[in-house]
Amino acid sequence: MNEAKIAIRNYCLRYSDGVQALKNVDLDIHPNAINVLFGPAGGGKSSLLRSINRLIDMADAEETSGEILFNGKNILDKETDVSWLRRKIGMVFSRPIPLPKSIFENVAFGLEVAGEKDKDAIRATVERALRQAYLWEEVYDRLDDPGNSLSGGQQQRLCLARILAFEPQVIMLDEPTSALDPVITARIESLLQEIKKDITIIIAPHNMSQSARIADYASFFLQGELVEFGEGSKLFVNPQDQRTQDYVEGRFG
Amino acid sequence: MKDKLITRIIQIAGFSSILIVLLIFLFLLREGLPALSEVSFSDLFATRWYPIEDLFGILPLFSGSLLVTFFSILIAIPFGVGTAIYIAEVAPRRVKEILKPMIELLAGIPSVVLGFIGIVFLSPALREWLNLPTGLTAFTGALLLALISIPTIVSVGEDALNAVPQSYREASYALGITRWQTIWRVTLPAARSGMITAVMLGISRTLGETMAVMMVTGNAPTMFKGIVSLFKPTRTMTATIASEMGEVASGSTHYHVLFFIGIVLFLFSLIINIVSNHFSEKNRKDKEQVVS
């Protein structure tokens, strides 16, 4: 087994309204694989994803404890450069959110803010990212159109391209296909299989079938607890914990 | 049956408000347009307003209104927009809960009270501070009007910023974009049309304000002569109507000219309304795209 890309150690999170979102989570995210987080709503998947890129700073987190090690460094440290972290650990949300800018600017904007000044370099990176997200062929002749003129599936791939432009090490996806039709969903899933060669993927799918389909590794979250963790091929077929078994077989959730 | 009755009542209410506005406009036209035949065009658009000697040049009043409005908006925009950003984006929830109602309360202070503060406090202070012969100047009026329009700009602007979906900000943060960069380059552009509407409403509030300006601008109809005019007494269109309408003979030329000024004011606010409507319309279309 490879060394963990992200190692979560005894991580707890409580919101200011008293909700204990995560309890003593210990989890290894495997590099160059699709790591699936699954479980019923309110299980803490989104909270965990938002902790890994420190988006949780914007929410009302009252107390966090434990460690989240990214390449061996604890990203919960105060000294962590959050902007750098978020470029290295990109995130895609359930609803595609193109910024109120053109298609080109949606991808270029992050690069500009990151300090890239060379116009040619930006142009080249935007093209590479759009190609990588399999969007280039569909938009190359209308890069100046507003980002929200695209269809839902295109928008979601635009959001993915926006992150791929940073050459991230990890991409997190929070129910990325919940608003998309099955054809586009299949397309995005195969896209993920493609990019996992270079990039570690953490995904919280919105349904069981997608979880079972794409998981190299899977972890089951229930009410803030990590119940079970294992290889996807084993966990979905032969879960060890009774609760996981119930959920996988559809007895609740 | 009951449904129909209620529909009728609402219908009548709706139509009557349109009818009233229309009647006001017709009345304005009836009382104001004769001015065009009684005073020659060149005399009307002349630079001296001195009704006792039949000099009805409305340009100084025009310039007075523009001067005061322009500078007050120049002051009000940075403060208003800044405050809106602070309340919507920066302030902790508790501060926000106190600030927002206070700003809205500020909008409810009668302008005559502000005018009073202007006379007893602002104007003497400005006279001494800037070493002016009198503190009743266009600048005093502009400052006071800025105070009056800031709450409007803040309140509407803050709503516009709040209408930007939280997910925009999250998406922006997730790209490693800092809070300030997000405000300037994502949230504000997304709320642009709403912010423009806020400023437009501020402008029409300023342009239509009468009492406060009348009290502090000195009421001397002077033409704009460069930036020095800002620190001299001036007089706006609204103040002229308010101060002279009471002592004018009904049906006289003077009376008709005052109504003509009213028409000009009406056209002004019509233009501002059309412009701000245009932007809020555009805003709604943008939003629908986000939702779809």
Side-chain angles (χ1 to χ4, degrees), chain A residues 69-81:
Chain A
L69 303 165
F70 173 51
N71 293 335
K73 267 211 210 83
N74 187 6
I75 60 111
L76 296 177
D77 271 352
K78 287 244 177 319
E79 291 91 65
T80 307
D81 178 350

Side-chain angles (χ1 to χ4, degrees), chain A residues 122-192:
Chain A
I122 289 179
R123 203 153 258 288
T125 309
V126 170
E127 180 176 342
R128 175 191 53 78
L130 285 171
R131 277 187 194 284
Q132 218 176 341
Y134 294 112
L135 191 59
W136 178 255
E137 298 297 324
E138 293 163 48
V139 300
Y140 70 92
D141 54 349
R142 51 177 176 137
L143 290 173
D144 293 326
D145 285 4
N148 57 17
S149 68
L150 296 173
S151 74
Q154 289 172 327
Q155 288 185 11
Q156 197 59 302
R157 278 177 285 154
L158 179 65
C159 294
L160 202 56
R162 209 158 61 181
I163 287 159
L164 287 168
F166 293 128
E167 297 180 22
Q169 299 177 18
V170 181
I171 291 184
M172 306 192 292
L173 305 99
D174 192 0
E175 308 191 345
T177 59
S178 62
L180 304 180
D181 68 59
V183 178
I184 304 291
T185 302
R187 203 150 176 197
I188 287 187
E189 283 176 16
S190 69
L191 173 63
L192 293 179

Side-chain angles (χ1 to χ4, degrees), chain A residues 68-248:
Chain A
I68 297 178
L69 303 165
F70 173 51
N71 293 335
K73 267 211 210 83
N74 187 6
I75 60 111
L76 296 177
D77 271 352
K78 287 244 177 319
E79 291 91 65
T80 307
D81 178 350
V82 179
S83 290
W84 171 85
L85 178 75
R86 288 176 188 157
R87 286 177 199 128
K88 288 299 139 193
I89 306 181
M91 180 146 180
V92 174
F93 299 89
S94 56
R95 285 190 82 108
I97 307 151
L99 298 174
K101 296 171 183 299
S102 75
I103 296 171
F104 180 84
E105 285 167 344
N106 253 285
V107 184
F109 179 46
L111 295 168
E112 282 163 20
V113 171
E116 179 63 84
K117 295 215 168 56
D118 183 352
K119 290 257 186 290
D120 291 331
I122 289 179
R123 203 153 258 288
T125 309
V126 170
E127 180 176 342
R128 175 191 53 78
L130 285 171
R131 277 187 194 284
Q132 218 176 341
Y134 294 112
L135 191 59
W136 178 255
E137 298 297 324
E138 293 163 48
V139 300
Y140 70 92
D141 54 349
R142 51 177 176 137
L143 290 173
D144 293 326
D145 285 4
N148 57 17
S149 68
L150 296 173
S151 74
Q154 289 172 327
Q155 288 185 11
Q156 197 59 302
R157 278 177 285 154
L158 179 65
C159 294
L160 202 56
R162 209 158 61 181
I163 287 159
L164 287 168
F166 293 128
E167 297 180 22
Q169 299 177 18
V170 181
I171 291 184
M172 306 192 292
L173 305 99
D174 192 0
E175 308 191 345
T177 59
S178 62
L180 304 180
D181 68 59
V183 178
I184 304 291
T185 302
R187 203 150 176 197
I188 287 187
E189 283 176 16
S190 69
L191 173 63
L192 293 179
Q193 299 288 1
E194 187 70 28
I195 58 178
K196 80 173 181 189
K197 281 186 260 161
D198 310 307
I199 300 167
T200 302
I201 289 167
I202 310 173
I203 179 169
H206 64 287
N207 61 24
M208 268 299 301
S209 54
Q210 186 174 48
S211 307
R213 213 161 43 228
I214 60 173
D216 293 319
Y217 296 91
S219 37
F220 177 57
F221 282 86
L222 187 62
Q223 290 167 357
E225 259 179 279
L226 173 59
V227 175
E228 192 169 352
F229 167 79
E231 286 178 38
S233 53
K234 288 180 192 149
L235 192 136
F236 289 105
V237 181
N238 187 19
Q240 301 301 308
D241 193 288
Q242 184 61 39
R243 290 168 291 176
T244 316
Q245 198 173 347
D246 288 348
Y247 185 74
V248 169

Side-chain angles (χ1 to χ4, degrees), chain B residues 143-207:
Chain B
L143 270 183
L144 213 55
L145 282 180
L147 275 182
I148 291 174
S149 59
I150 282 174
T152 310
I153 296 179
V154 172
S155 181
V156 179
E158 202 254 352
D159 287 343
L161 288 170
N162 269 338
V164 176
Q166 189 60 29
S167 52
Y168 271 42
R169 301 183 183 89
E170 262 200 337
S172 175
Y173 295 143
L175 289 173
I177 295 162
T178 63
R179 194 179 191 181
W180 287 112
Q181 288 163 332
T182 301
I183 291 173
W184 284 120
R185 300 190 58 178
V186 177
T187 318
L188 266 184
R192 203 192 69 215
S193 34
M195 296 309 280
I196 291 173
T197 307
V199 171
M200 285 295 170
L201 284 174
I203 293 177
S204 55
R205 180 88 214 269
T206 309
L207 196 64

Side-chain angles (χ1 to χ4, degrees), chain B residues 25-230:
Chain B
F25 186 58
L26 285 178
F27 180 73
L28 258 184
L29 287 182
R30 201 192 70 185
E31 301 295 320
L33 283 183
L36 285 175
S37 59
E38 286 161 20
V39 187
S40 78
F41 205 71
S42 56
D43 282 346
L44 196 56
F45 291 94
T47 56
R48 277 209 66 194
W49 175 262
Y50 202 59
I52 296 176
E53 291 184 7
D54 283 339
L55 291 170
F56 295 112
I58 61 167
L59 284 186
L61 313 176
F62 202 70
S63 99
S65 270
L66 286 188
L67 178 72
V68 173
T69 305
F70 179 77
F71 278 96
S72 97
I73 281 297
L74 212 62
I75 300 164
I77 286 179
F79 277 99
V81 172
T83 312
I85 292 175
Y86 176 73
I87 295 179
E89 303 291 323
V90 185
R93 191 153 16 115
R94 181 132 320 159
V95 178
K96 194 173 174 166
E97 276 164 8
I98 299 170
L99 268 184
K100 177 107 206 228
M102 267 175 69
I103 295 274
E104 269 153 18
L105 201 70
L106 209 61
I109 295 180
S111 58
V112 65
V113 174
L114 283 170
F116 184 66
I117 294 171
I119 284 184
V120 299
F121 169 70
L122 191 60
S123 132
L126 278 177
R127 190 186 61 220
E128 270 177 39
W129 183 49
L130 297 171
N131 203 13
L132 298 169
T134 168
L136 302 172
T137 65
F139 184 65
T140 322
L143 270 183
L144 213 55
L145 282 180
L147 275 182
I148 291 174
S149 59
I150 282 174
T152 310
I153 296 179
V154 172
S155 181
V156 179
E158 202 254 352
D159 287 343
L161 288 170
N162 269 338
V164 176
Q166 189 60 29
S167 52
Y168 271 42
R169 301 183 183 89
E170 262 200 337
S172 175
Y173 295 143
L175 289 173
I177 295 162
T178 63
R179 194 179 191 181
W180 287 112
Q181 288 163 332
T182 301
I183 291 173
W184 284 120
R185 300 190 58 178
V186 177
T187 318
L188 266 184
R192 203 192 69 215
S193 34
M195 296 309 280
I196 291 173
T197 307
V199 171
M200 285 295 170
L201 284 174
I203 293 177
S204 55
R205 180 88 214 269
T206 309
L207 196 64
E209 178 50 45
T210 308
M211 204 58 210
V213 267
M214 198 161 83
M215 287 166 85
V216 300
T217 52
N219 285 319
T222 51
M223 269 309 283
F224 179 70
K225 291 194 193 71
I227 201 76
V228 282
S229 296
L230 189 60

